[in-house]
Amino acid sequence: MNYKLSRRKFGQLALAGTLISGLSYQTNKAFGETSSLKIIGIGSSPIISTDQTDSPEVNTTELNSITPKNVATDIKPVGLVLQSLITGKAQILVNKSTPLVESNETLSGFTSLSDGTLVVAITPVSTSRKEATSTRITFLSTPVKTLIVSGLEQNQQLGSLLGTNDGRLIGLVGKNNGTPPIRLVDINLQTGEISFINKVKFPEDERVSNLAECPDGKLYTSLVESDGDTFLVQLDSNQNKPIRLGQLQVNGQAWNNGLQSLVCSGTGQLLAFGAMRYQTPNTVYSVDKNSGNMTRLQDFDATQIALARA
């Protein structure tokens, strides 16, 4: 069901749920091209009172046919919002019966599949509860589809999802909070079962996060040392370890805080997303693959990004 929401109602749903924002900008200034690059960002927001919220009207798609008459401020997150930063228009995906993300969970991965479907990895956080929720992947399709991830050990976490060019879903598995050792895994799109990819091995004592694949099939990731210094890395199944390409830096200053996301455009341009330590908001940067130099493109108030393929 599609219908219009008032500004106040949109604010209530947006703040009550997980927020997705879309950033679209012309790349001719940054890359010398004329094509348009569309970036989707995702983040979470606490449930708060929104009486003073003033947001643009949007279209919304519900997962059932019941129109909500009101939104309580003491419920757990129940919605996802797809929004264009340029136009201000948004699409809200709401599931009132089953929360997509609960208060004791975190979004540990975000990507788009080759067919354009957005996928998030949802991971339980540390809790004193005896029975924690299960790690799962959720496909933001119509209707929403969720699979419980199997094959993880109790102290392991799935994150840094990547929808590959050939239609697979891969990810990185590490210990809780993303600590090493890190393993590259395939995720079965039908069952949620993971299988380890043994051709690529990471250092046992360094954090590895974010996966990106360029049109030529080359895989990239970021490696973070204990002091926060971050290196762009290429993954090659013919090598025993990742190939360091360069230390990430902005205006000659070493990047010191890892990355939130790493993606590759259809023209092979790597884009990094994150912020320096103690700085906000996160920003989209273009990355020189050879030197690691990063060029600021635009601030974007989101937690992770993915490229829109559809």
Side-chain angles (χ1 to χ4, degrees):
M1 172 180 289
N2 292 319
Y3 61 93
K4 284 288 187 179
L5 286 179
S6 67
R7 289 180 172 87
R8 179 179 178 184
K9 182 66 70 177
F10 167 74
Q12 289 174 331
L13 286 176
L15 289 171
T18 297
L19 305 182
I20 298 180
S21 303
L23 165 64
S24 176
Y25 56 87
Q26 293 295 320
T27 60
N28 55 322
K29 292 183 180 180
F31 312 139
E33 302 170 357
T34 58
S35 60
S36 180
L37 182 63
K38 294 181 179 180
I39 294 176
I40 300 169
I42 192 171
S44 60
S45 178
I47 301 166
I48 60 176
S49 175
T50 56
D51 289 342
Q52 287 76 39
T53 300
D54 186 20
S55 303
E57 292 187 353
V58 298
N59 292 323
T60 185
T61 300
E62 288 194 82
L63 302 186
N64 57 52
S65 59
I66 302 174
T67 302
K69 295 181 179 179
N70 53 68
V71 178
T73 57
D74 59 349
I75 57 176
K76 295 180 180 180
V78 296
L80 296 167
V81 179
L82 186 64
Q83 182 178 352
S84 168
L85 192 66
I86 299 299
T87 66
K89 293 182 179 179
Q91 183 182 30
I92 301 176
L93 187 64
V94 180
N95 187 337
K96 298 184 295 300
S97 59
T98 305
L100 297 175
V101 182
E102 300 204 29
S103 58
N104 63 331
E105 297 174 328
T106 186
L107 297 172
S108 59
F110 180 49
T111 191
S112 59
L113 300 180
S114 57
D115 65 0
T117 302
L118 298 176
V119 185
V120 294
I122 301 171
T123 301
V125 297
S126 298
T127 176
S128 59
R129 293 169 54 185
K130 294 182 179 180
E131 295 182 4
T133 55
S134 299
T135 297
R136 59 193 184 278
I137 51 174
T138 296
F139 302 81
L140 305 183
S141 53
T142 305
V144 168
K145 172 186 175 183
T146 295
L147 296 175
I148 300 299
V149 175
S150 60
L152 292 175
E153 296 180 4
Q154 187 174 4
N155 65 340
Q156 288 182 326
Q157 173 179 300
L158 171 65
S160 302
L161 297 180
L162 171 66
T164 64
N165 298 333
D166 61 1
R168 295 180 299 140
L169 179 63
I170 64 176
L172 296 175
V173 168
K175 292 183 179 180
N176 292 337
N177 300 318
T179 55
I182 307 296
R183 301 281 301 277
L184 185 66
V185 298
D186 251 312
I187 306 165
N188 189 303
L189 289 169
Q190 303 302 318
T191 66
E193 182 179 6
I194 66 169
S195 57
F196 292 96
I197 303 174
N198 295 319
K199 293 182 179 180
V200 177
K201 296 184 178 180
F202 300 106
E204 294 291 318
D205 58 348
E206 295 180 310
R207 288 177 179 260
V208 179
S209 61
N210 311 300
L211 289 169
E213 183 183 28
C214 287
D216 60 6
K218 291 182 179 178
L219 291 174
Y220 298 88
T221 187
S222 58
L223 187 151
V224 186
E225 295 186 339
S226 57
D227 58 0
D229 286 349
T230 307
F231 294 82
L232 180 64
V233 171
Q234 181 183 332
L235 304 182
D236 188 338
S237 60
N238 296 319
Q239 301 288 328
N240 292 327
K241 60 182 181 179
I243 304 169
R244 294 197 185 199
L245 300 180
Q247 183 174 1
L248 297 182
Q249 53 185 312
V250 179
N251 297 326
Q253 181 179 0
W255 190 264
N256 62 5
N257 197 30
L259 296 174
Q260 295 297 106
S261 301
L262 186 68
V263 299
C264 191
S265 73
T267 60
Q269 175 64 59
L270 276 178
L271 300 172
F273 182 63
M276 286 282 204
R277 193 175 300 176
Y278 310 122
Q279 295 183 12
T280 58
N282 290 322
T283 300
V284 180
Y285 297 85
S286 63
V287 182
D288 186 295
K289 297 175 185 176
N290 297 316
S291 65
N293 289 328
M294 301 166 63
T295 302
R296 180 187 177 279
L297 298 180
Q298 188 167 336
D299 291 345
F300 193 23
D301 190 11
T303 302
Q304 296 186 41
I305 64 171
L307 291 179
R309 299 191 185 187

